[in-house]
Amino acid sequence: MRFRPFTRLAGAGLALLVLANGPAAAQSDFDLSPEQPGRPHHERVAAAVDAVPEGFAFVRPGYLTVAVNPSGGPPIATYATDAATVIGADPDYASLVADSLGLKLDLVPVAWADWPLGLTSGKYDAVISNVGVTEERKLKFDFSSYRQGLHGIFARKGSGIGRIAEPKDIAGLRIIVGAGTNQEHILLEWDRRNLAAGLKPAELQYFDNEATGLVALRSGRADAIVQPNGQLIFIAARDGNIERLGTLSAGWPERSDVAIATRKGSGLADALTAATNALIKDGSLQRALDRWQLGEEILPRSQTNPPGLPKF
């Protein structure tokens, strides 16, 4: 594996970056307005309401208080064109879950680093913010799964690279990836296997920010980019000059679940799992994810505390 000098990707600025680089171009594919007329709603689900522990005290009576990190970027969660309203697939899902419990939604924007302490200290009832289930996190939180974590592998249109589905497909390629991410961890393992098989090494490239990396990709200085699938789907719709070559499970070779996080032992997870399964069964969650072009990531059923990724 050959390396270029690198710094960590500046992911915290992604939401502002993608909007600043041309929201109008993505409007035909994504509604970034604060009004969100297409946001789905749902009726009360008796099984979910009945699963809430007797005497459970919600942070705000009559509301489901949910923390979300808007800096993850569209289509997962971002700020609307008014720079104040949080929108995206996770806010839509949070709204559906609140409806299912017969509650209103109180969506609280938080920094990614702040949600664990805020949740354990009782500031929120739940966190719905693209949180992947790990065995380490399960020691401190309960989870209700709703989506699988996928990474997208994209290249400039017309690159001629072909489909990327297994380790041998990256041999000899120059790939942009975030330092310290699990997608980097997976690519390193793929490259190790390729080298053991006598194939050409891949070259991982790291950039200060996403915009610089995309310029390198479009100019031919890099062959592919690997990031969370939703982020690259949005960029492809916005810019029109990159295309997907494949997807990669965030837990390769296993499936990686994304889930609602709740306080450990609070008892709320089973109610959220019941609500999610009702949303899956009647197609509401599918429609919500389709709205943000994430329909392929839906799980066949929600589980409370499913198997999580091991620490690496």
Side-chain angles (χ1 to χ4, degrees), residues 20-214:
N21 280 356
Q27 286 288 352
S28 60
D29 297 278
F30 297 94
D31 175 16
L32 302 179
S33 71
E35 296 80 13
Q36 291 295 292
R39 174 170 284 178
H41 297 282
H42 203 273
E43 68 277 4
R44 183 176 179 273
V45 176
V49 175
D50 291 345
V52 176
E54 186 176 355
F56 181 87
F58 287 94
V59 171
R60 184 180 176 190
Y63 287 80
L64 180 67
T65 302
V66 175
V68 63
N69 172 33
S71 67
I76 302 296
T78 190
Y79 285 108
T81 51
D82 66 353
T85 305
V86 182
I87 61 171
D90 275 354
D92 278 8
Y93 171 56
S95 179
L96 286 171
V97 171
D99 288 346
S100 300
L101 294 176
L103 300 170
K104 296 179 181 179
L105 176 64
D106 184 6
L107 200 60
V108 182
V110 298
W112 172 261
D114 294 341
W115 73 256
L117 180 58
L119 185 58
T120 55
S121 65
K123 288 185 178 179
Y124 341 111
D125 299 309
V127 175
I128 300 180
S129 194
N130 201 36
V131 180
V133 182
T134 69
E135 289 302 312
E136 188 173 18
R137 285 174 180 160
K138 282 166 62 179
L139 298 175
K140 298 180 179 179
F141 307 102
D142 288 326
F143 291 95
S144 301
S145 58
Y146 63 98
R147 189 164 53 78
Q148 59 177 314
L150 290 181
H151 299 312
I153 308 170
F154 281 65
R156 67 188 180 280
K157 282 189 174 179
S159 68
I161 294 173
R163 185 167 180 264
I164 295 180
E166 55 185 319
K168 67 179 181 62
D169 297 332
I170 70 165
L173 296 184
R174 300 162 298 170
I175 304 174
I176 300 166
V177 70
T181 61
N182 64 336
Q183 54 263 38
E184 180 200 35
H185 174 78
I186 294 166
L187 291 177
L188 288 171
E189 174 59 22
W190 279 24
D191 191 66
R192 186 193 67 77
R193 295 186 182 198
N194 285 343
L195 292 177
L199 299 177
K200 292 182 179 180
E203 178 185 293
L204 296 191
Q205 298 184 2
Y206 306 82
F207 292 89
D208 289 330
N209 58 65
E210 184 179 73
T212 305
L214 290 172

Side-chain angles (χ1 to χ4, degrees), residues 230-274:
Q231 293 177 355
L232 290 174
I233 285 174
F234 179 86
I235 292 168
R238 183 195 70 196
D239 297 347
N241 53 20
I242 64 172
E243 61 186 353
R244 193 169 72 181
L245 305 181
T247 58
L248 177 65
S249 169
W252 182 90
E254 306 297 331
R255 190 182 78 192
S256 173
D257 286 355
V258 176
I260 309 173
T262 50
R263 291 186 298 280
K264 191 72 179 178
S266 72
L268 190 58
D270 285 340
L272 301 179
T273 299

